[in-house]
């Protein structure tokens, strides 16, 4: 398993370009299942999850072609889908495979998708996805670790979902995306209340609309979808990754550097920028797609609570915790989205951070001089938090299991080295 070796203490200076959003590219590729026409998805980050998604689509008999490997543009065409199944072998490596459920139900009225199961940060149930599809006329059973879903044909209509009035008990990003895709080809209108408002959801709506879907309410928590008979192909360029951008904002701040972050959408980072300002970080919006971040001598402790968009993103919590270890005073971090998303705290404590965790609340006291040691990555964003801690720690930090970070950050070692970080990937053959 590869590791990252970081020699901390270097201020990062220069410019970094943000890649496409993994969490936008995943639903965009799944949406290609909704039509027999060709769909081109551009600006896809070269990270493992998207390779897994392309394998999954190919498993379902979609034709997936790329101009180069690794790819940033995917051409997908699913003229017929003989294999409406997402097998465990693929789903276990990428929970977002659940995003094929909605399109398969919409296109074929039948689907067999492995239950994603939990991960390090929580149980990650998909009950809300299933309940919503049942409201749309799907019959769903779970057996032997699989979701078996089908819509009984009703005469001439064949197997077609029906529009419904759905109110999500709690906000779910991929749940909203699954129902958006399912409702796009359903009979009649679907009203979806308490929908997620993440920019990745809005990006999917933009793509579906280009395919002929009739959707309104983007950016609000109530979406209305009028089903159509067919959707046609399109080309779609996914939005920049706001979490990667936020991670680099923290990298510039925590190392006391001066970074320009290009290809990002500042408007998607409102809550993160406001919080970093409160912590004393100098951030300038240079233009609509460029943000400049400069570190200051004194970072100030500031409390943060993770919330659904437009609140402070849970996917930025570990990165913020790393920064908080360097801030004067206490920062109370409350994680409201996932039940077990403080795994990075214990690793940062081994580096010398002063953190006390109690349930969904962590209190970070600083500033603490971190010192390099060997640490374990546990999930995608925890790994990012450990990289940031390593960048500011004295001495060498060796991060193990960096396959976690390779799922969601394109070329993070190269991007960090290009702005002065002393970081390298250590290949550990065989293990
Ligand atoms: C998406 O996951 C993202 N993944 C996650 O990013 C992100 O952390 C999360 O949204 C929250 O923003 C993708 O978009 C591929 P949820 P998702 O459904 O959709 C509970 C990353 O780092 N819930 O919004 O799976 C759930 O347990 C990943 O890129 C149910 O109870 O998250 C959680 O507590 C990590 N039942 C909360 O809702 C359901 O049916 C929010 O989950 C669905 C969700």
């Amino acid at each position: 398993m590869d590791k990252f070796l970081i020699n901390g203490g270097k201020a990062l200076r220069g410019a970094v370009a943000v890649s496409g959003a993994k969490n936008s590219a995943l639903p965009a590729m799944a949406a290609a299942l909704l039509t027999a026409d060709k769909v081109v998805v551009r600006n896809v980050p070269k990270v493992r999850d998207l390779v897994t998604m392309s394998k999954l689509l190919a498993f379902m008999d979609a034709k997936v072609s790329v101009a180069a490997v690794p790819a940033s543009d995917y051409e997908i065409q699913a003229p017929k889908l003989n294999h409406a199944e997402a097998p465990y072998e693929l789903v276990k490596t990428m929970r977002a495979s659940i995003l094929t459920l909605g399109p398969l139900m919409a296109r074929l009225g039948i689907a067999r998708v492995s239950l994603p199961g939990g991960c390090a940060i929580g149980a990650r149930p998909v009950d809300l996805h299933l309940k919503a599809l049942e409201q749309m006329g799907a019959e769903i059973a779970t057996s032997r670790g699989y979701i078996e879903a089908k819509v009984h044909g009703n005469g001439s209509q064949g197997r077609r979902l029906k529009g419904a009035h759905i109110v999500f008990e709690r906000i779910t990003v991929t749940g909203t995306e699954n129902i958006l895709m399912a409702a796009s080809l359903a009979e009649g209108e679907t009203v979806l209340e308490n929908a997620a408002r993440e920019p990745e959801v809005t990006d999917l709506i933009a793509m579906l609309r280009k395919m002929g879907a009739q959707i309104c309410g983007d950016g609000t928590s109530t979406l209305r979808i009028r089903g159509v008979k067919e959707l046609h192909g399109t080309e779609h360029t996914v939005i920049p990754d706001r979490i990667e951008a936020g991670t680099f904002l923290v990298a510039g701040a925590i190392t006391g550097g001066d970074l320009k972050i290009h290809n990002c959408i500042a408007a998607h980072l409102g809550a993160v920028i406001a919080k970093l300002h409160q912590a004393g970080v100098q951030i300038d919006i240079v233009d609509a797609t460029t943000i400049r971040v400069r570190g200051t001598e004194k970072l100030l402790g500031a409390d943060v609570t993770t919330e659904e968009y437009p609140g402070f993103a849970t996917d930025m919590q570990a990165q913020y915790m790393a920064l908080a270890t360097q801030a004067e005073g206490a920062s109370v971090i409350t994680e409201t989205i996932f039940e077990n998303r403080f795994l990075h705290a214990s690793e940062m404590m081994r580096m010398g951070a002063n953190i006390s965790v109690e349930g969904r609340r962590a209190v970070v006291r600083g500033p603490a001089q971190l010192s390099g040691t060997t640490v374990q990555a546990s999930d995608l964003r925890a790994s990012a938090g450990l990289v940031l801690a390593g960048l500011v720690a004295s001495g060498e930090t060796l991060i193990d299991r960096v396959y976690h970070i390779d799922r969601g950050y394109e070329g993070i070692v190269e991007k960090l080295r290009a702005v002065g970080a002393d970081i390298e990937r250590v290949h550990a053959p065989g293990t």
Side-chain angles (χ1 to χ4, degrees), residues 256-313:
D258 184 344
L259 275 187
K260 274 215 176 125
I261 297 158
H262 297 289
N263 294 356
C264 64
I265 300 178
H268 291 168
L269 283 155
V272 171
I273 290 172
K275 188 53 64 181
L276 294 179
H277 268 312
Q278 192 186 343
V281 179
Q282 292 183 69
I283 294 185
D284 305 294
I285 311 295
V286 177
D287 59 40
T289 61
T290 308
I291 305 176
R292 181 182 180 191
V293 58
R294 280 172 286 172
T296 47
E297 294 73 51
K298 193 163 160 191
L299 290 166
L300 309 168
D303 298 349
V304 71
T305 297
T306 63
E307 289 169 345
E308 293 87 356
Y309 193 88
F312 189 95

Coordinates of all heavy atoms in Angstrom, one line a residue, residues 256-313:
G256 N 1.1 29.0 6.6 CA 1.5 30.4 6.6 C 2.0 30.8 5.3 O 2.9 31.6 5.2
G257 N 1.4 30.3 4.2 CA 1.9 30.6 2.9 C 1.1 31.6 2.2 O 0.4 32.4 2.8
D258 N 1.1 31.5 0.8 CA 0.4 32.5 0.0 C 0.0 31.7 -1.3 O 0.9 31.5 -2.2 CB 1.3 33.7 -0.3 CG 0.5 34.7 -1.1 OD1 -0.6 34.4 -1.7 OD2 1.0 35.9 -1.2
L259 N -1.2 31.3 -1.4 CA -1.6 30.4 -2.5 C -2.7 31.0 -3.3 O -3.7 31.6 -2.8 CB -2.2 29.1 -1.9 CG -1.3 27.9 -1.6 CD1 -2.1 26.7 -1.3 CD2 -0.3 27.6 -2.7
K260 N -2.7 30.9 -4.6 CA -3.8 31.2 -5.5 C -4.4 29.9 -6.0 O -3.7 29.1 -6.5 CB -3.2 32.0 -6.7 CG -3.1 33.5 -6.4 CD -3.4 34.4 -7.6 CE -3.4 35.8 -7.3 NZ -2.5 36.6 -8.2
I261 N -5.7 29.9 -5.8 CA -6.4 28.6 -6.1 C -7.3 28.9 -7.4 O -8.2 29.8 -7.3 CB -7.2 28.1 -4.9 CG1 -6.3 27.7 -3.8 CG2 -8.1 26.9 -5.3 CD1 -6.8 27.7 -2.5
H262 N -7.0 28.3 -8.5 CA -7.7 28.6 -9.7 C -8.8 27.5 -10.0 O -8.8 26.4 -9.4 CB -6.7 28.6 -10.9 CG -5.7 29.6 -10.8 ND1 -6.0 31.0 -11.0 CD2 -4.3 29.6 -10.5 CE1 -4.8 31.7 -10.8 NE2 -3.9 30.9 -10.5
N263 N -9.6 27.8 -11.0 CA -10.7 26.8 -11.4 C -11.6 26.5 -10.2 O -12.0 25.3 -10.1 CB -10.1 25.5 -11.9 CG -9.3 25.7 -13.2 OD1 -9.2 26.7 -13.7 ND2 -8.7 24.6 -13.6
C264 N -11.8 27.4 -9.4 CA -12.8 27.1 -8.3 C -13.9 28.1 -8.4 O -13.9 29.1 -9.1 CB -12.1 27.1 -6.9 SG -11.5 28.7 -6.5
I265 N -15.0 27.7 -7.7 CA -16.2 28.6 -7.7 C -16.4 29.1 -6.2 O -16.8 28.3 -5.4 CB -17.5 27.9 -8.2 CG1 -17.3 27.4 -9.6 CG2 -18.7 28.8 -8.1 CD1 -18.4 26.6 -10.2
A266 N -15.9 30.3 -6.0 CA -16.0 30.9 -4.6 C -17.4 30.8 -4.0 O -17.5 30.5 -2.8 CB -15.5 32.3 -4.7
A267 N -18.4 30.9 -4.9 CA -19.7 30.9 -4.4 C -20.1 29.6 -3.7 O -21.0 29.5 -2.9 CB -20.7 31.2 -5.5
H268 N -19.4 28.5 -4.1 CA -19.7 27.2 -3.5 C -19.0 27.0 -2.1 O -19.2 26.0 -1.5 CB -19.2 26.1 -4.4 CG -20.0 26.0 -5.6 ND1 -19.6 25.2 -6.7 CD2 -21.2 26.6 -6.0 CE1 -20.5 25.3 -7.7 NE2 -21.5 26.1 -7.3
L269 N -18.2 28.0 -1.7 CA -17.4 27.9 -0.5 C -17.8 28.9 0.6 O -16.9 29.2 1.4 CB -15.9 28.0 -0.9 CG -15.3 26.8 -1.5 CD1 -14.1 27.1 -2.4 CD2 -14.9 25.7 -0.5
G270 N -18.9 29.5 0.5 CA -19.3 30.6 1.3 C -19.1 30.3 2.8 O -18.4 31.0 3.5
A271 N -19.6 29.2 3.3 CA -19.5 28.9 4.7 C -18.1 28.6 5.1 O -17.6 29.0 6.2 CB -20.4 27.7 5.1
V272 N -17.3 28.0 4.3 CA -15.9 27.6 4.6 C -15.1 28.9 4.6 O -14.3 29.1 5.6 CB -15.4 26.6 3.5 CG1 -13.9 26.5 3.7 CG2 -16.1 25.3 3.6
I273 N -15.3 29.8 3.6 CA -14.5 31.0 3.6 C -14.9 31.9 4.8 O -14.0 32.4 5.5 CB -14.8 31.8 2.3 CG1 -14.2 31.0 1.1 CG2 -14.3 33.2 2.4 CD1 -14.5 31.6 -0.2
A274 N -16.2 32.0 5.2 CA -16.6 32.8 6.4 C -15.9 32.2 7.6 O -15.4 33.0 8.4 CB -18.1 32.7 6.5
K275 N -15.8 30.9 7.8 CA -15.2 30.3 9.0 C -13.7 30.6 9.0 O -13.2 30.9 10.1 CB -15.5 28.8 9.0 CG -15.1 28.1 10.2 CD -15.7 28.7 11.5 CE -17.2 28.7 11.6 NZ -17.8 29.3 12.8
L276 N -13.1 30.5 7.8 CA -11.6 30.7 7.8 C -11.3 32.2 8.1 O -10.4 32.5 8.8 CB -11.1 30.3 6.5 CG -11.1 28.8 6.2 CD1 -10.5 28.5 4.8 CD2 -10.4 28.0 7.2
H277 N -12.2 33.1 7.6 CA -12.0 34.5 8.0 C -12.1 34.7 9.5 O -11.3 35.3 10.1 CB -13.2 35.3 7.3 CG -12.9 35.9 6.0 ND1 -11.7 36.6 5.7 CD2 -13.6 35.8 4.8 CE1 -11.8 36.9 4.4 NE2 -12.9 36.5 3.9
Q278 N -13.1 34.0 10.1 CA -13.3 34.1 11.5 C -12.1 33.6 12.3 O -11.7 34.1 13.4 CB -14.6 33.3 11.9 CG -15.1 33.5 13.3 CD -16.2 32.6 13.7 OE1 -16.8 31.9 12.8 NE2 -16.5 32.4 15.0
A279 N -11.4 32.6 11.7 CA -10.2 32.0 12.3 C -8.9 32.9 12.0 O -7.8 32.5 12.4 CB -10.0 30.6 11.8
G280 N -9.2 34.0 11.3 CA -8.0 34.9 11.1 C -7.3 34.7 9.8 O -6.2 35.3 9.6
V281 N -7.8 33.9 9.0 CA -7.1 33.6 7.7 C -7.4 34.7 6.7 O -8.6 35.2 6.6 CB -7.6 32.2 7.1 CG1 -6.9 31.9 5.8 CG2 -7.3 31.1 8.1
Q282 N -6.4 35.1 6.0 CA -6.7 36.2 4.9 C -7.1 35.5 3.6 O -6.3 34.8 3.0 CB -5.4 36.9 4.7 CG -4.9 37.8 5.8 CD -3.6 38.5 5.4 OE1 -3.7 39.4 4.6 NE2 -2.5 38.1 6.0
I283 N -8.3 35.8 3.2 CA -8.8 35.2 2.0 C -9.3 36.3 1.1 O -10.1 37.2 1.5 CB -9.9 34.2 2.2 CG1 -9.3 33.0 3.0 CG2 -10.6 33.7 0.9 CD1 -10.3 31.9 3.3
D284 N -8.9 36.3 -0.2 CA -9.4 37.3 -1.1 C -10.0 36.6 -2.3 O -9.4 35.7 -2.9 CB -8.2 38.2 -1.6 CG -7.5 38.9 -0.4 OD1 -8.1 39.7 0.2 OD2 -6.3 38.5 -0.2
I285 N -11.2 37.1 -2.7 CA -11.8 36.5 -3.9 C -11.2 37.3 -5.1 O -11.6 38.5 -5.2 CB -13.3 36.7 -3.9 CG1 -13.9 36.2 -2.5 CG2 -14.0 36.0 -5.1 CD1 -13.7 34.7 -2.3
V286 N -10.3 36.7 -5.8 CA -9.6 37.5 -6.9 C -10.6 37.7 -8.0 O -10.7 38.8 -8.6 CB -8.4 36.7 -7.3 CG1 -7.7 37.4 -8.5 CG2 -7.4 36.5 -6.2
D287 N -11.3 36.6 -8.4 CA -12.4 36.7 -9.4 C -13.3 35.5 -9.2 O -13.1 34.7 -8.3 CB -11.8 36.8 -10.9 CG -11.0 35.6 -11.2 OD1 -11.4 34.5 -10.9 OD2 -9.9 35.7 -11.9
A288 N -14.2 35.3 -10.1 CA -15.3 34.3 -9.9 C -14.7 32.9 -9.8 O -15.3 32.0 -9.2 CB -16.3 34.3 -11.1
T289 N -13.5 32.7 -10.3 CA -12.9 31.3 -10.3 C -11.5 31.3 -9.6 O -10.8 30.2 -9.7 CB -12.8 30.8 -11.7 OG1 -11.9 31.6 -12.4 CG2 -14.1 30.7 -12.4
T290 N -11.1 32.4 -8.9 CA -9.8 32.4 -8.3 C -9.9 32.9 -6.9 O -10.5 34.0 -6.7 CB -8.8 33.2 -9.1 OG1 -8.8 32.8 -10.5 CG2 -7.4 33.1 -8.5
I291 N -9.3 32.2 -6.0 CA -9.3 32.7 -4.6 C -7.8 32.7 -4.1 O -7.1 31.8 -4.5 CB -10.1 31.7 -3.6 CG1 -11.5 31.4 -4.1 CG2 -10.1 32.2 -2.2 CD1 -12.2 30.4 -3.3
R292 N -7.5 33.7 -3.3 CA -6.1 33.8 -2.8 C -6.2 33.6 -1.3 O -7.0 34.2 -0.6 CB -5.5 35.2 -3.1 CG -4.1 35.3 -2.6 CD -3.5 36.7 -2.9 NE -2.1 36.8 -2.5 CZ -1.5 38.0 -2.4 NH1 -2.1 39.1 -2.8 NH2 -0.2 38.0 -2.0
V293 N -5.3 32.8 -0.7 CA -5.3 32.6 0.7 C -3.9 32.9 1.2 O -2.9 32.5 0.6 CB -5.7 31.1 1.1 CG1 -4.8 30.1 0.4 CG2 -5.8 30.9 2.6
R294 N -3.8 33.6 2.3 CA -2.5 33.9 2.9 C -2.6 33.6 4.4 O -3.6 33.8 5.1 CB -2.2 35.4 2.8 CG -1.6 35.7 1.4 CD -1.4 37.2 1.2 NE -2.7 37.8 1.0 CZ -2.9 39.1 0.9 NH1 -1.8 39.9 1.1 NH2 -4.1 39.6 0.7
G295 N -1.6 32.9 4.9 CA -1.5 32.6 6.3 C -1.2 33.8 7.1 O -0.7 34.8 6.6
T296 N -1.5 33.8 8.4 CA -1.2 34.9 9.3 C -0.4 34.3 10.5 O -0.4 33.2 10.7 CB -2.5 35.5 9.8 OG1 -3.3 34.4 10.3 CG2 -3.2 36.3 8.8
E297 N 0.3 35.3 11.2 CA 1.0 34.8 12.4 C 0.1 34.1 13.3 O 0.4 33.1 13.9 CB 1.7 36.0 13.1 CG 2.8 36.7 12.3 CD 2.2 37.5 11.2 OE1 1.3 38.3 11.5 OE2 2.6 37.3 10.1
K298 N -1.1 34.7 13.5 CA -2.0 34.2 14.6 C -3.3 33.8 14.1 O -4.1 34.5 13.6 CB -2.2 35.4 15.6 CG -2.7 34.9 16.9 CD -2.5 36.0 18.0 CE -3.5 35.7 19.2 NZ -3.5 36.9 20.1
L299 N -3.5 32.5 14.2 CA -4.9 31.9 13.9 C -5.7 31.9 15.2 O -5.1 31.7 16.3 CB -4.7 30.5 13.4 CG -4.1 30.3 12.0 CD1 -3.6 28.9 11.8 CD2 -5.0 30.8 10.9
L300 N -7.0 32.1 15.0 CA -7.8 32.2 16.2 C -8.8 31.0 16.3 O -9.3 30.7 15.2 CB -8.6 33.5 16.2 CG -7.8 34.8 15.9 CD1 -8.7 36.0 15.6 CD2 -7.0 35.1 17.1
G301 N -8.9 30.5 17.4 CA -9.9 29.4 17.6 C -11.3 29.8 17.2 O -11.7 31.0 17.5
A302 N -12.1 29.0 16.5 CA -13.5 29.4 16.1 C -14.3 28.1 16.1 O -13.8 27.1 15.5 CB -13.5 30.0 14.8
D303 N -15.5 28.1 16.7 CA -16.3 26.9 16.7 C -16.9 26.7 15.3 O -17.1 27.6 14.6 CB -17.4 27.1 17.7 CG -16.9 27.3 19.2 OD1 -15.7 27.0 19.4 OD2 -17.7 27.7 20.0
V304 N -17.2 25.4 15.0 CA -17.9 25.1 13.7 C -18.8 23.9 13.9 O -18.5 23.0 14.7 CB -16.8 24.8 12.6 CG1 -16.1 23.5 12.8 CG2 -17.5 24.9 11.3
T305 N -19.9 24.0 13.3 CA -20.9 22.9 13.2 C -21.1 22.5 11.8 O -21.4 23.4 11.0 CB -22.2 23.3 13.9 OG1 -22.0 23.6 15.3 CG2 -23.3 22.2 13.8
T306 N -20.9 21.2 11.5 CA -21.2 20.8 10.1 C -22.7 20.7 9.8 O -23.4 20.3 10.7 CB -20.5 19.4 9.8 OG1 -21.2 18.4 10.6 CG2 -19.0 19.4 10.1
E307 N -23.0 21.2 8.6 CA -24.4 21.2 8.2 C -24.5 20.9 6.7 O -23.6 21.0 6.0 CB -25.1 22.6 8.5 CG -25.2 22.9 9.9 CD -25.6 24.4 10.1 OE1 -25.4 25.2 9.1 OE2 -26.0 24.8 11.2
E308 N -25.8 20.5 6.3 CA -26.0 20.4 4.9 C -25.8 21.7 4.2 O -25.9 22.8 4.8 CB -27.4 19.9 4.6 CG -27.7 18.5 5.1 CD -28.2 18.5 6.6 OE1 -28.2 19.6 7.2 OE2 -28.5 17.4 7.1
Y309 N -25.4 21.7 2.9 CA -25.3 22.9 2.1 C -26.5 23.8 2.2 O -27.6 23.3 2.2 CB -25.0 22.5 0.7 CG -24.5 23.7 -0.2 CD1 -23.1 24.0 -0.3 CD2 -25.4 24.5 -0.9 CE1 -22.7 25.0 -1.0 CE2 -24.9 25.6 -1.6 CZ -23.6 25.8 -1.7 OH -23.1 26.9 -2.4
P310 N -26.3 25.1 2.4 CA -25.1 25.9 2.3 C -24.3 26.0 3.6 O -23.4 26.9 3.7 CB -25.6 27.2 1.8 CG -27.0 27.4 2.5 CD -27.5 26.0 2.5
G311 N -24.6 25.2 4.6 CA -23.8 25.2 5.8 C -22.4 24.7 5.6 O -22.0 24.4 4.5
F312 N -21.6 24.7 6.7 CA -20.2 24.2 6.6 C -20.2 22.7 6.3 O -20.7 21.9 7.0 CB -19.5 24.5 8.0 CG -18.0 24.3 7.9 CD1 -17.2 25.3 7.7 CD2 -17.5 23.0 8.1 CE1 -15.8 25.1 7.7 CE2 -16.1 22.8 8.0 CZ -15.3 23.9 7.8
A313 N -19.5 22.4 5.2 CA -19.5 21.0 4.7 C -18.9 20.0 5.7 O -17.7 20.2 6.1 CB -18.9 20.9 3.4

